[in-house]
Each structure stands twice: as C-alpha cells, then as structure tokens.
Amino acid sequence: MLLNPTELEIDPANPFANDAFDRQPVVDSFVGIITSLKGPFVIAVDSPWGTGKTTFLKMLKASLEIKDHPCLYFNAWETDFAEDPLVAFVGELDSLIKELLPEDRAQETMKSVKKMAGTMAKRVVPAAIRIATMGTIDLAPEVERAIAEAMGALSTDAVENYLKDKKVMDEFHSKLNLALSTAQEKNKKLPVVIFVDELDRCRPLYAIELLERIKHLFNVESAVFVVAMDKKQLGISLGAVYGTGFNSTEYLRRFFDLELRLTQISNDKFCESLIKRMELEEFFASRPNQVGQRDFEDLKASFLDLSKLLNLTLRMQEKCMVLLALAMFATQNTEYFYPVQTVIMAALRIGAEEIYNKVSRENGSVVEIIDHLKMMRVERTGIDELNWSSLVGYILSMCNSEDRRAGQVLEHHRNLRNTARESNQYDDSSELIVNITIDSQNRGKTLKTVLKRIDIATQFQN
C-alpha cells in the first residue's frame, strides 16, 4: 500500500485505457475545438482539487499528439522556485524547439530566445505594482510597504528602458512564432499546444506573473495554451495577498479566451480509483495473517458507503485512505489489523470528529456511530440494505463488555435471527450483523486497538 496514490498512467497510443472518470467524450470534443483554433489563444480548464485535471491534460495531450499536433507539458508548481517564471518557461521550451528544428537551428533559435527573455525578465514591471494600480484596493500594510519600496526602486531610466524594449518583445514574438510554425516542415500540424498545470499550487505572485507572460509574451499565432487550475482556490490565495477588496474573479478572467469547467466526477468512481492507486488490494494479499478473507471487499464497500453517508469531499477521502495506510504500516506483522473497523474510525475522524470523540471517551458507545449514520442515511439515498447491515455489524464488533447499549442492539438482532430461524426463514440483515460482530469480537479488544492506531497515525498526517 502507498502513502500517496499513484497518478494514472496514460498510454500515448491509447490515452483512454485507464479512463476511470469517463473523460473521453469531453477530451474528444476539446480536441475538435483546439485543432480548429488559430493562436494566440488561451484556454482555462477549471476544476477543484482531486477531480483529475492532470490526468485530463495528459489524455488531451496524447490525443492531440496522435493527430500530429506538437505539445509541451509545463508543471508550474515544479518551477515555482524560480524568481521569474519567464526564465523557467523558456527553459522548458527548449525541449519543444529541439523537437521541431534541426539541432543547429534549434541551438541558434534558443540562444536568441533566451537572450531576449533574459532582457525582458529584468525589465518587466512587477505584477504586484500593476495590480496595485488597477484601482483602490484594501491591501495589507506589509503589501503596501513592499509595493512602495518596489515603486521607489524603479527609476525613470528603468521605465524608459522598458518602453524602448517593445522592439525586443516584437522580435521575441517573431522568433518564437517562426520556430513553432516550422512544425509543418516535419509534417506536424498547427497549432502547437502548450499545457500549463498545477497553477493553483504556486505562490500567488508567481502564478500571476506566469499568466502575464503567457498572455503578453507568448501570444503568437502558432500556439494555443491550455492552463489547468482550481480557479476558486487561486482566487482565495490572491485575495489573501492583495487584500479583501481585490476582485480576483474579474482579474483572472482577462487572461483567458475560453474556459472549460470539468464536471464533478462520480463519488463511487473516485473511491474505486483511489483504492486502486493506493495499491490496497496488493497490500492485503501480501499480509494474509493480518486480514480476513472478505476484508478487502468489505472495506471497499464500507468506504464507498461512508463517503456518501458522511459527505466526504475528494480531499477528505484521500486523507482517510492515507490515515488507513499509516495505521497499517504502524501495525506489527504479528497483529491482526481490523481493516474495516479502522476505515470506519478513520472516516469518522476525518468527517465526523464530534462522533469520533464521543465514542473515544471512557463511557462512549459505538451505538453513537450507528445512530449518526442512520440519520445520514435518511438524508442520502443509495446505501444497499445488506451493505448497511455489514457496516452495522462491523461497528458493533468494536463494542466492549461495558457498552450496554451496543449489547442491547446486538441482542435485538440475535433475537430477530433466532425468530426467523424458528420459522424456517432467513433474516439476511440480522444474520450478517450477528455473524460479523461475533467473528470480529473473537479477535480481542477491537475498539481500543483501532483508536490507538488511528490516534498514532493522526500524529503523522499533514
């Protein structure tokens, strides 16, 4: 099992082989739009964290490359350490130019482009100053001081030199456009498509400066940019830096000619994908002494249902799986793990901490969990009756001998089961609840053990 889920691998020859989120129809439509465009054009792909933006971009990139469109993938967050995004971006552009041009021409072109980029990187007026001059903004005092210092540092000569460098900018556009348009000489098609990913994870000022460079320095006819981000999260980051009066939505909108909002993915599909990418099944197979025969299937079903009942966000679901992984790694090979009970308590720790704390108390009852989830079940449909019974069974299995409420619930289901048997009938739900409870209780003090492991694992989680 992994502490971080692996990224889905995209086969360049078959981009949708691992399309867990059914993105192919959107990608196919997007390919049709992009291939009909003429640059300069900038498209935003907006979607919250965990909805597969990176996978979407890589599927789109592979699909375009199959149609002979040259592409470049640029991870903005990985270059966030650079002082100026222009320098980082031109550095990444080197590989694309080498792909399109013969070696001698590529070296000559990049030498010229890098030199001009270096000149413009020194002369560009800081984005913070341009933002500050857009209107009256409620800026934090430390930001105001930083802007004032930067303004003071800009001498008249520096501004005049910047204006004179318009010629350098035009030459940069011409040289870059010529280099990209040579794709046709190699039987490639235009436009060249450049993907920018992880923008919302960058420092706010770096993200804005990168967008500024794309819009004003790389606006060439041969190129279309596709920028993936969580626009809401980036807006919050910008607001924290530039003040509460800063209209981040309007400011960001001016950078894009078109925006695509990815639809929310299915909760079930995300859970399935997360479990697969965490390599949970392989972990279970490697430790047969620590888990039971049905534990993996029961854990998967319980996790799917708990995600619905507790309304766990995608980020919360991933945190829950990481908590489970940490607890697993912290368990000795000679000890039984209680995987389903652990995922139940991990989900409560992440999504219903008040209930978790109630059960953790000395006199807490696991019936608190059943009552809470039962109430959630009324509000949220789609929980299969047998899955619910299995969940109840695993919850009851954590009770200790002092938990009188849990004992009464278990006795109630035992009576229902016995009554059905006496009538030559079979009560599936009660049979399941009683069997799971007794089987797990035979292994020892479940709740105390699970809580201890969860509490230890929580200390390591970010």
Side-chain angles (χ1 to χ4, degrees):
M1 188 172 187
L2 304 177
L3 282 178
N4 286 313
T6 58
E7 288 187 9
L8 289 174
E9 289 189 13
I10 305 302
D11 181 354
N14 185 12
F16 306 107
N18 295 316
D19 185 13
F21 302 152
D22 292 333
R23 295 299 194 194
Q24 183 172 358
V26 184
V27 171
D28 288 343
S29 299
F30 209 1
V31 167
I33 292 170
I34 290 174
T35 53
S36 66
L37 291 174
K38 181 180 179 181
F41 210 88
V42 184
I43 305 171
V45 175
D46 178 27
S47 192
W49 178 93
T51 51
K53 292 189 293 296
T54 295
T55 301
F56 178 83
L57 286 196
K58 290 183 177 180
M59 286 178 176
L60 180 59
K61 177 177 178 288
S63 299
L64 285 163
E65 287 173 335
I66 288 172
K67 292 183 176 293
D68 293 323
H69 285 267
C71 296
L72 174 68
Y73 176 83
F74 178 76
N75 188 315
W77 189 59
E78 289 180 356
T79 64
D80 182 69
F81 61 88
E83 185 176 347
D84 190 310
L86 175 59
V87 176
F89 196 83
V90 169
E92 295 294 321
L93 193 64
D94 187 72
S95 62
L96 179 62
I97 298 299
K98 286 178 179 177
E99 178 188 329
L100 297 177
L101 295 175
E103 187 176 349
D104 55 340
R105 285 178 61 190
Q107 288 179 352
E108 180 187 346
T109 299
M110 284 308 302
K111 184 178 179 181
S112 179
V113 167
K114 287 174 182 177
K115 183 178 179 181
M116 287 183 283
T119 300
M120 287 183 289
K122 294 174 185 175
R123 299 279 177 85
V124 171
V125 180
I129 296 173
R130 290 195 299 279
I131 293 171
T133 56
M134 287 177 64
T136 303
I137 299 176
D138 179 20
L139 295 172
E142 59 270 20
V143 177
E144 290 179 344
R145 284 195 298 272
I147 290 174
E149 289 171 8
M151 288 293 284
L154 286 172
S155 65
T156 302
D157 289 343
V159 175
E160 288 177 357
N161 286 337
Y162 170 72
L163 294 174
K164 289 177 184 178
D165 280 345
K166 178 69 166 61
K167 182 179 178 181
V168 176
M169 190 181 295
D170 290 342
E171 188 179 347
F172 179 84
H173 285 157
S174 177
K175 184 75 82 172
L176 183 61
N177 192 55
L178 181 62
L180 297 180
S181 63
T182 54
Q184 294 173 310
E185 295 177 14
K186 289 196 170 185
N187 296 319
K188 298 288 185 178
K189 298 176 183 176
L190 295 179
V192 173
V193 185
I194 300 174
F195 297 93
V196 179
D197 198 9
E198 304 279 21
L199 190 69
D200 48 319
R201 295 181 69 182
C202 297
R203 291 176 286 115
L205 185 56
Y206 186 87
I208 284 298
E209 288 185 339
L210 178 56
L211 288 175
E212 292 274 1
R213 304 300 190 266
I214 290 170
K215 193 67 175 177
H216 300 302
L217 300 182
F218 292 88
N219 54 334
V220 295
E221 291 182 4
S222 302
V224 168
F225 280 80
V226 180
V227 183
M229 62 182 173
D230 181 345
K231 195 173 177 181
K232 182 179 178 181
Q233 184 58 48
L234 182 57
I236 292 171
S237 298
L238 291 174
V241 173
Y242 300 119
T244 54
F246 179 63
N247 191 335
S248 59
T249 302
E250 287 303 316
Y251 184 74
L252 288 171
R253 186 173 289 142
R254 73 190 186 97
F255 290 107
F256 304 111
D257 302 299
L258 185 68
E259 293 187 20
L260 169 69
R261 176 76 178 177
L262 288 182
T263 55
Q264 184 71 31
I265 61 177
S266 157
N267 185 74
D268 285 3
K269 286 179 180 175
F270 182 82
C271 287
E272 293 270 6
S273 171
L274 182 59
I275 288 169
K276 183 178 179 181
R277 289 183 291 130
M278 294 286 285
E279 299 182 4
L280 187 61
E281 189 169 10
E282 291 83 348
F283 184 88
F284 273 48
S286 68
R287 299 197 177 190
N289 295 329
Q290 288 185 275
V291 294
Q293 249 184 338
R294 285 191 46 82
D295 279 349
F296 175 72
E297 291 300 327
D298 285 353
L299 183 147
K300 189 164 66 170
S302 297
F303 182 58
L304 289 170
D305 290 339
L306 286 164
S307 297
K308 294 174 187 173
L309 290 168
L310 297 174
N311 199 26
L312 299 181
T313 64
L314 303 183
R315 189 180 291 273
M316 291 166 78
Q317 289 173 37
E318 186 163 302
K319 287 184 73 174
C320 181
M321 279 289 110
V322 170
L323 199 57
L324 179 72
L326 286 166
M328 276 185 164
F329 288 129
T331 302
Q332 298 296 319
N333 289 344
T334 55
E335 298 175 342
Y336 188 73
F337 180 60
Y338 304 108
V340 183
Q341 292 90 335
T342 304
V343 84
I344 290 169
M345 298 311 295
L348 290 169
R349 183 72 174 77
I350 298 296
E353 194 168 5
E354 184 180 347
I355 302 300
Y356 180 89
N357 290 335
K358 279 185 179 180
V359 176
S360 301
R361 295 190 193 116
E362 193 69 32
N363 59 347
S365 172
V366 295
V367 178
E368 297 275 5
I369 304 173
I370 297 172
D371 290 345
H372 179 74
L373 295 181
K374 191 182 292 183
M375 187 169 58
M376 294 299 99
R377 193 185 179 207
V378 172
E379 298 176 11
R380 301 180 179 95
T381 58
I383 308 301
D384 177 81
E385 186 62 38
L386 284 181
N387 282 356
W388 168 253
S389 298
S390 174
L391 199 56
V392 170
Y394 279 111
I395 294 169
L396 286 174
S397 75
M398 292 187 281
C399 73
N400 54 45
S401 56
E402 289 80 34
D403 189 344
R404 296 180 63 186
R405 290 182 64 196
Q408 290 169 357
V409 173
L410 179 58
E411 188 61 28
H412 169 70
H413 285 288
R414 188 179 279 118
N415 290 336
L416 289 176
R417 181 199 64 177
N418 293 340
T419 300
R421 285 180 174 181
E422 288 169 3
S423 305
N424 292 322
Q425 295 177 350
Y426 193 83
D427 187 333
D428 291 345
S429 294
S430 293
E431 287 280 359
L432 192 57
I433 290 170
V434 173
N435 289 342
I436 288 174
T437 303
I438 294 174
D439 180 59
S440 296
Q441 282 183 336
N442 288 337
R443 299 182 188 274
K445 296 182 178 179
T446 313
L447 181 62
K448 187 177 180 180
T449 303
V450 169
L451 288 174
K452 184 179 178 181
R453 290 171 183 167
I454 291 289
D455 288 342
I456 291 173
T458 303
Q459 296 176 48
F460 289 94
Q461 195 175 27
N462 57 24

